[in-house]
Amino acid sequence: DAKTTQPTSMDCAEGRAANLPCNHSTISGNEYVYWYRQIHSQGPQYIIHGLKNNETNEMASLIITEDRKSSTLILPHATLRDTAVYYCIVSVGQGGKLIFGQGTELSVKP
Amino acid sequence: GAGVSQSPSNKVTEKGKDVELRCDPISGHTALYWYRQSLGQGLEFLIYFQGNSAPDKSGLPSDRFSAERTGGSVSTLTIQRTQQEDSAVYLCASSRQVVDEKLFFGSGTQLSVL
């Protein structure tokens, strides 16, 4: 699986949009971009995934650049409960071995 | 059940003892995964099951670690002759099928080896 690069930490003001970047310059054509998050003392939680097109669900939006070498996860109105470590993962979708990196520790502040 | 259930939530054991960790996946999910997370670290893949078979055991740290799954449902991760470096949170996840990488995680078992 391709490697991803994320900032170690980010801050965001409550109520503002949180934009979390991820670089995956060696991504292959058949690899998806997945985002998970892990709130302290809990197991990771799936957020969203995409291949080429931008995606939106009730939790977040995923913007993938045209060359697919980077992506941005957007939490439109961050709340204190969004404080967590956010993991960007690329995978071919053939199962099993999702490789979690160190992720971005997002702190949402009042 | 509604989610992935793991037991026990906490386990304290003495070095050299064997431990068994249990995972109850979401009903109907054919794929099951074990990860572990040491303090302040990212998730380390251990093993996954498709049904009752484990196509990829490459993440198991040593031969002291084994896992089985019976009836396509409950899985047990066994650590023999535990060492202090085995102390970690052991996380289980399941998905509808192996190609569906929308994983649902349990809350984990915190293992402390004294």
Side-chain angles (χ1 to χ4, degrees):
Chain A
D1 289 351
K3 285 188 175 180
T4 62
T5 304
Q6 299 178 253
T8 303
S9 62
M10 292 182 65
D11 290 342
C12 179
E14 188 178 19
R16 304 297 292 269
N19 297 282
L20 293 93
C22 179
N23 286 323
H24 30 79
S25 58
T26 59
I27 192 170
S28 300
N30 61 345
E31 287 183 311
Y32 290 77
V33 180
Y34 290 80
W35 284 84
Y36 281 76
R37 72 179 183 183
Q38 187 173 25
I39 295 169
H40 183 62
S41 297
Q42 297 182 20
Q45 175 190 26
Y46 166 86
I47 301 173
I48 198 167
H49 76 283
L51 183 64
K52 295 181 184 178
N53 300 321
N54 299 337
E55 302 288 344
T56 295
N57 63 20
E58 65 279 3
M59 289 183 70
S61 295
L62 174 60
I63 308 298
I64 303 174
T65 58
E66 194 169 340
D67 64 7
R68 302 208 326 122
K69 293 185 177 181
S70 65
S71 61
T72 301
L73 179 74
I74 301 172
L75 309 178
H77 305 287
T79 71
L80 299 179
R81 288 181 302 225
D82 292 322
T83 293
V85 178
Y86 287 76
Y87 297 98
C88 169
I89 304 162
V90 295
S91 175
V92 297
Q94 289 183 356
K97 212 168 176 175
L98 284 186
I99 306 298
F100 287 77
Q102 294 302 308
T104 295
E105 186 166 4
L106 175 69
S107 297
V108 181
K109 300 181 184 297
Chain B
V4 177
S5 177
Q6 292 188 246
S7 61
S9 55
N10 280 283
K11 176 71 176 179
V12 179
T13 190
E14 293 178 353
K15 178 181 171 181
K17 300 277 191 184
D18 298 350
V19 295
E20 284 190 354
L21 312 180
R22 176 189 167 108
C23 174
D24 232 311
I26 292 172
S27 178
H29 280 195
T30 61
L32 185 148
Y33 314 81
W34 284 99
Y35 287 80
R36 76 174 175 181
Q37 188 169 32
S38 302
L39 187 63
Q41 301 297 310
L43 276 78
E44 176 188 4
F45 169 81
L46 298 179
I47 188 171
Y48 86 94
F49 289 88
Q50 173 59 39
N52 291 336
S53 65
D56 187 351
K57 301 180 182 181
S58 63
L60 294 177
S62 75
D63 59 8
R64 296 186 295 105
F65 287 72
S66 63
E68 65 175 13
R69 188 180 186 195
T70 55
S73 182
V74 172
S75 176
T76 302
L77 178 69
T78 301
I79 309 172
Q80 295 178 308
R81 305 180 303 281
T82 52
Q83 304 294 312
Q84 288 183 333
E85 60 263 28
D86 299 334
S87 297
V89 176
Y90 288 81
L91 289 157
C92 176
S94 69
S95 62
R96 286 178 303 169
Q97 49 188 332
V98 168
V99 296
D100 177 2
E101 290 187 18
K102 186 175 179 179
L103 271 58
F104 294 83
F105 281 82
S107 296
T109 293
Q110 171 72 64
L111 175 66
S112 300
V113 182
L114 304 179

